[in-house]
Amino acid sequence: MHARKLLSILTIGVVALILQFALGHADWAQILITLTGAFFSFLMLIEMVKTLRSGKYGVDLLAISAVVATLAVGEYWASIVVLIMLIGGDTLEDYAAHRAGKELQSLLDNTPETAHILRHDTLEDVNIDQVQIGDTLVVRPGETVPVDGKILTGTSEVDEASLTGESRPVYKAPGDTVMSGSVNGSQALRLRAEQLATDSQYQKIVRLVAESQARPAKFVRLADRYAVPFTAIAYLIAGIAWLLAKDPVRFAQVLVVASPCPLILAAPIALVSGMSRASRNGVIVKSGTTIEKLATVKTAAFDKTGTLTTGQLTLDQIVPQAPFTKTDLLQYAASAEQSSNHVLARSLVQAAKELPLFNCDHLTEHTGQGIEAQVNGKIVKAGKLALADPKGTQTPRTQTAIYVNIDGQFAGYITFKDQIRHEAATTLERLKQQGVAQTLMITGDQRAIAETVGKQIGIDMVKADCLPEEKINLITTLPVNQHPVMMVGDGVNDAPALAKADVGVAMGAHGSTAASESADVVILKDDLSYLNRAMTISQDTMKVAKQAVWIGIAICIGLMLIASTGLIPAFIGAMFQEIVDTVSILWALKARAEHHKKIPAQLPPAASGTINK
């Protein structure tokens, strides 16, 4: 669109040049440029009115004033240069945004479309949408993994750079998980499909990329912050120059060099560039405004299970209550929990993989408490102690546990162990260095367990036994001076809090789709230190954006002061404006580069260990 406008204006400019300098019809050249300037000024005026009606203020008024003023005083060649600058700036923004977003677009371009299914010792090529969970797939050397799966046979170096930002290939062997979108190395792999194509990691990322591209970067806050005073200064200098010189030409000369491009172009380009840089580093940032908020986060709140801990729970103890046996307790609890996606449920089912599970009917979920279902003709309740033992006859454990009630009788409990993420303490320490004043843990687990974890990793404040709605209340009721608030989580129960936080961050590698879709930022690797990457990139981006704006404004004010003395003719001033815009935009593109030392993918272990979560 902008490119076509630019081509039209350039064509008109060439025709005007021929009319005046080749054919000697200066009056016709002036008429043609005047009509062109009036037409495009009218279009810009309509856009400005729409902007004002939406409740925003921009600097389009300066551009319109510069065109109208130069036409009014007969400086029509200056007006055509200003128009070329404005439309050319928009075209350059389109180009820069396209360049900055090419890493995002590459994800869409490389989406796997086919898979090799092994059926009766014969390979069959099918569309990836036809792949079912449990199918055996073959991934040849150099091919893209079509769906998430687990390796059955073969070893290879797998490139996960497009998913995690980690450039070094990862060694994979039987039993390891491979993600869709990763590229196989030099050896063929045979794997079992663990997810449908639509639920696989690569497709999730593609959806997030599409969403981020549909929500273009808008530097509304910063632009609005400077737009009003900048416009006022420009009119003040132009008005005083006119008054002192008693010549309206001086007014036009000043406005011609009052370039609004540092505000309307440079800052958005910096934000798009920062989003592109983030994607290369394994982090999807869905909007430009998220960059601005993330750079100034004051409070960081975390879920515990799967976020500060690995979420990979292992069975610790099975403690039945007579007349039930350990096998009874494990079999009935796992049968009831087999349809749940909760990390405890998955760990429980994994622990009971050697046992035959019963059919589960009439499943009911009690929010924040557990589940109730009919299993093998018996009513089974599994979850927190209050659900399994409503009479309060049992003492709660200080470990993470599932308590079980069978047919109205307390049947015992099953405990689990979890690992604190080895990078958790270092990540929190680094967040403090990056300007985060307060860290919170907001979890549904018991207070004793949560406080143990919090103490080990250095959390400032622990809020335990929280239901999803209580997590939201805690975030929304924080004092104004503790905002922006960042919430980090990975589960379905975290999705409402992620949506309500100023910045919601989802651990997307193994987290739920609901969490990723409701979040503003998605970390593509199961590594909490990528949060520091996101903060660093956001702060770098904001620094570059502000520099681009201030460099442009400073040059513009200097040129306006010089133009007020009459030393810069309108036509020359319009050419100077092109230089100002080019400098500002090129500076903004620095946000795309890795101009700071890259944060390592794995931070050194600081506080780790097994905890009875």
Side-chain angles (χ1 to χ4, degrees), residues 423-434 457-458 532 606:
E423 76 274 13
T426 311
T427 298
L428 293 174
E429 181 182 349
R430 198 180 194 97
L431 285 176
K432 292 291 182 72
Q433 297 170 0
Q434 292 175 315
I457 62 177
N532 299 127

Side-chain angles (χ1 to χ4, degrees), residues 290-307:
T290 297
I291 293 270
E292 183 173 359
K293 293 177 183 177
L294 190 59
T296 57
V297 164
K298 293 293 186 293
T299 301
F302 297 84
D303 176 47
K304 181 174 70 66
T305 306
T307 303

Side-chain angles (χ1 to χ4, degrees), residues 492-512:
V492 174
N493 62 327
D494 298 320
L498 295 180
K500 278 292 184 181
D502 296 314
V503 180
V505 181
M507 300 291 289
H510 298 293
S512 74

Side-chain angles (χ1 to χ4, degrees), residues 569-584:
F571 180 79
I572 301 301
M575 302 304 295
F576 275 137
Q577 194 183 77
E578 293 280 8
I579 298 174
V580 176
D581 300 336
T582 302
V583 169
S584 298

Side-chain angles (χ1 to χ4, degrees), residues 11-89:
T11 302
I12 291 170
V14 170
V15 172
L17 282 171
I18 294 172
L19 284 173
Q20 179 162 341
F21 297 105
L23 303 179
H25 296 299
D27 50 346
W28 284 107
Q30 182 173 1
I31 291 172
L32 178 61
I33 293 176
T34 300
L35 291 175
T36 301
F39 175 71
F40 280 99
S41 296
F42 180 70
L43 292 181
M44 287 189 290
L45 180 63
I46 293 174
E47 290 299 319
M48 188 184 73
V49 171
K50 290 180 180 178
T51 301
L52 291 173
R53 284 181 175 176
S54 68
K56 301 174 185 176
Y57 180 83
V59 287
D60 296 346
L61 185 60
L62 273 179
I64 297 172
S65 298
V67 174
V68 173
T70 49
L71 289 173
V73 298
E75 295 282 355
Y76 53 94
W77 285 113
S79 70
I80 196 72
V81 172
V82 172
L83 279 174
I84 291 172
M85 178 278 302
L86 288 172
I87 306 302

Side-chain angles (χ1 to χ4, degrees), residues 117-124 136 138 190:
I117 294 183
L118 185 62
R119 291 174 177 162
H120 308 297
D121 296 326
T122 301
L123 278 182
E124 180 181 345
T136 299
V138 173
R190 184 176 297 186

Side-chain angles (χ1 to χ4, degrees), residues 331-338 357-361 371-380 406-407:
Q331 191 173 27
Y332 275 94
S335 297
E337 294 275 18
Q338 61 185 310
L357 299 184
F358 301 120
N359 290 332
C360 176
D361 301 312
I371 58 99
E372 179 179 346
Q374 183 175 335
V375 178
N376 196 30
K378 300 180 183 294
I379 301 300
V380 178
I406 300 176
D407 275 347

